[in-house]
Amino acid sequence: MNYNQTKETIGSFVNDVEVAKSYQNRKDVISKIVTYIKNQGLDVDDSYIEFINNYQVDQVPVEVTYLPIYFVTSIARLYWKDKDEEKTEHQEFIKFQTAFYANDKNGGNRLNNLDAMGIIDKDVMKQTKKTSVVDNINTSLKDENIKLLGTTEHYEVQVVLDAPKLSDNDMYPIESSYILNESEIDKHIENALKETKSYQRLQKMDEKVSKIEQKSVEVVLVPIAKIVLGKHHQYVNCANGKIDVKYEKSKQISKNLNFARAIVYPSIFLFLASDVTSFIFKWNTPVTIEKGLPHLFGNIFDILWFVFTFIGVIVSIIAIPKRENIVKRANANKDRLKINRELAKILLADSVILVVILLIAVFGN
C-alpha cells in the first residue's frame, strides 16, 4: 500500500497521519541483539549460543510493520448542579489530550517493552495530565506546540533495516490488530476524561453529565522490526532503537530453578500454616506481662509470635527463587542452590519455633 491507501485503512475520522523515521542500521541492531544474548552467560542454551556465534547478518530475516500511536485532542462538556436547595446549574468546556495504542495495558505484549510512546515529546506527554478550560466547542483543537519526535511534515519513502517492500513507493504494512476504529478511540477518550481532575471534581456534584463534543485524532506510525534469530523473534523500535529480546534458555538453569522452588515453596507454606495456626489459638493463653502492652502485645507469647512472624515473612520474600539469581551464582561458579537450601532451613526452624510457642502458651500453665 502507498501512503494514501494507508491513511484510508486507518480511517477517515483521523485528521492527520505521520510516519516516524528510522535511524537504525541493520548490522548494528542485530549485533546489539546478539551481544545482549551472549551477555546472559550460562542462562542461554548451548546450542542456541552456537547458532548465535555462526549467524550471517545478510541471512537474518527481517520484517517491518508500523505500530499506530494515537494522539487525541478533545473538548468535553461538563454539566452539573450544586448540592443545595437552589440546585444552581453549571456548565464548563474543558480541553484535554491523551495518547495511546491498542493493547498498551497488556503486560504480556512484547511491543510494550519498546517505549513506542517515546515518539511523542516529553513536554507534550506532560500536557496529557492536564486540562484547560475553554470558552466553547468552537475552540481550535490544534496546538502549535505539539511535537512528534522523529516525524516530518510530509511522508518520505524510507527503507528500514534493508527490509524489502513490494515497490519503491509502497509503505510497510500496519499491524492490523493495532488499528482502532472510531468507537474504540472514543472509549479511550472517555477513560482519559474520567482520569482528569475536572471530571473527578464533577463526581461530587448532583445531576452530573459529561460528553465529548469535539475531537482531533492524529496518528504516528512507528516502524517496528521483527528479526528472526533461530527459533525466536526479536522486536526493535526502529525510531528509538529499543529492543525486546527472547532467547533459548538453558535447560539446566530451568531444572535448577524448579528444584529451588521444590525446596523453598513447601517451607514457605509450612511457615504460613504454623503462623496462622498459632495466631488463631494464642489468644487463649493465660500468661500475661504484669504491666503489658495492650491488645496485640498483651503477653510475652504475643511478642514472640510477632518477632518470628516478621522474620518468617522477610525470609519468605527473600527465599522466593529467581532465575536471574541462579544464573548469577552459576556464572560465578558457586553452588546454585545453597542460598535456597539455607533459607528453607531458616523457614523450617521458624515454623518449629512458632509451634513450640503455641504449645507452651496453651499447655504451659
Side-chain angles (χ1 to χ4, degrees):
M1 291 191 299
N2 58 33
Y3 178 71
N4 291 329
Q5 291 171 327
T6 298
K7 288 180 68 175
E8 292 176 5
T9 301
I10 295 174
S12 58
F13 58 89
V14 175
N15 299 85
D16 190 22
V17 177
E18 299 184 23
V19 182
K21 274 192 171 184
S22 171
Y23 297 95
Q24 306 305 310
N25 176 278
R26 179 190 180 101
K27 182 178 179 181
D28 293 342
V29 166
I30 295 176
S31 176
K32 185 178 178 180
I33 293 171
V34 170
T35 299
Y36 175 87
I37 294 174
K38 289 182 178 179
N39 287 342
Q40 305 313 303
L42 294 176
D43 192 30
V44 187
D45 185 76
D46 291 341
S47 60
Y48 196 65
I49 281 288
E50 184 178 352
F51 168 80
I52 291 298
N53 287 332
N54 294 285
Y55 80 98
Q56 299 293 326
V57 173
D58 56 349
Q59 296 179 1
V60 175
V62 178
E63 177 185 339
V64 176
T65 56
Y66 286 117
L67 173 67
I69 305 294
Y70 294 85
F71 187 88
V72 185
T73 304
S74 307
I75 292 179
R77 181 175 73 91
L78 304 180
Y79 168 86
W80 70 94
K81 291 183 179 181
D82 288 337
K83 285 188 174 181
D84 54 29
E85 294 182 0
E86 296 180 358
K87 297 292 183 182
T88 306
E89 296 183 359
H90 298 274
Q91 180 170 274
E92 182 179 81
F93 292 95
I94 64 168
K95 183 178 180 180
F96 65 100
Q97 297 166 326
T98 182
F100 53 88
Y101 60 93
N103 296 323
D104 58 355
K105 305 299 182 185
N106 182 358
N109 180 12
R110 292 181 65 190
L111 297 190
N112 288 339
N113 299 325
L114 301 179
D115 188 27
M117 300 295 286
I119 196 64
I120 301 176
D121 186 85
K122 291 182 180 179
D123 291 335
V124 174
M125 286 301 294
K126 289 178 182 178
Q127 294 301 315
T128 62
K129 306 297 182 183
K130 303 176 182 179
T131 59
S132 58
V133 178
V134 296
D135 295 333
N136 52 59
I137 61 174
N138 294 321
T139 303
S140 172
L141 288 175
K142 188 68 176 178
D143 285 336
E144 294 181 358
N145 64 338
I146 291 181
K147 182 182 179 183
L148 304 177
L149 298 183
T151 64
T152 56
E153 187 175 350
H154 301 288
Y155 169 66
E156 295 179 4
V157 176
Q158 59 177 337
V159 177
V160 181
L161 302 186
D162 298 330
K165 297 186 294 184
L166 293 177
S167 69
D168 292 339
N169 292 323
D170 276 337
M171 292 180 62
Y172 295 105
I174 301 177
E175 288 279 357
S176 57
S177 60
Y178 287 82
I179 298 177
L180 300 176
N181 58 43
E182 190 167 10
S183 63
E184 290 172 321
I185 290 174
D186 289 341
K187 288 180 182 178
H188 277 274
I189 300 173
E190 290 286 350
N191 291 334
L193 173 62
K194 291 176 182 178
E195 293 177 0
T196 64
K197 291 182 179 179
S198 298
Y199 182 89
Q200 292 168 3
R201 185 187 70 236
L202 185 72
Q203 297 310 291
K204 302 176 182 178
M205 307 301 176
D206 282 343
E207 297 187 30
K208 45 196 174 286
V209 177
S210 64
K211 182 181 179 182
I212 302 298
E213 297 284 357
Q214 194 177 349
K215 67 177 183 285
S216 174
V217 182
E218 297 179 68
V219 172
V220 182
L221 300 178
V222 181
I224 304 294
K226 181 170 68 176
I227 299 175
V228 182
L229 281 174
K231 297 180 181 179
H232 298 285
H233 295 160
Q234 323 299 337
Y235 289 94
V236 183
N237 182 338
C238 300
N240 60 16
K242 296 286 185 179
I243 62 174
D244 181 71
V245 180
K246 194 172 183 179
Y247 53 88
E248 190 77 13
K249 293 187 176 182
S250 166
K251 295 180 179 62
Q252 183 58 48
I253 295 294
S254 297
K255 185 177 179 180
N256 294 147
L257 179 61
N258 290 333
F259 194 72
R261 289 169 176 167
I263 295 172
V264 172
Y265 286 160
S267 303
I268 293 176
F269 176 79
L270 182 61
F271 157 70
L272 293 175
S274 303
D275 188 64
V276 171
T277 303
S278 62
F279 178 80
I280 293 173
F281 288 100
K282 71 186 179 59
W283 302 109
N284 295 321
T285 59
V287 179
T288 59
I289 300 175
E290 192 168 294
K291 295 183 180 180
L293 299 172
H295 193 51
L296 182 62
F297 303 109
N299 58 64
I300 186 64
F301 298 106
D302 286 351
I303 296 174
L304 290 174
W305 174 86
F306 178 80
V307 170
F308 286 101
T309 293
F310 179 79
I311 293 173
V313 170
I314 297 300
V315 173
S316 296
I317 294 173
I318 298 173
I320 295 175
K322 296 180 181 177
R323 188 180 189 95
E324 56 267 30
N325 292 339
I326 294 177
V327 172
K328 189 182 296 183
R329 292 194 290 271
N331 287 332
N333 200 26
K334 296 181 179 179
D335 187 335
R336 303 177 185 185
L337 301 176
K338 181 178 180 180
I339 293 177
N340 303 105
R341 287 193 292 266
E342 295 302 320
L343 292 175
K345 289 178 183 178
I346 294 174
L347 286 171
L348 291 174
D350 197 295
S351 302
V352 171
I353 292 172
L354 285 170
V355 173
V356 171
I357 289 173
L358 171 64
L359 294 175
I360 294 174
V362 175
F363 301 108
N365 291 281

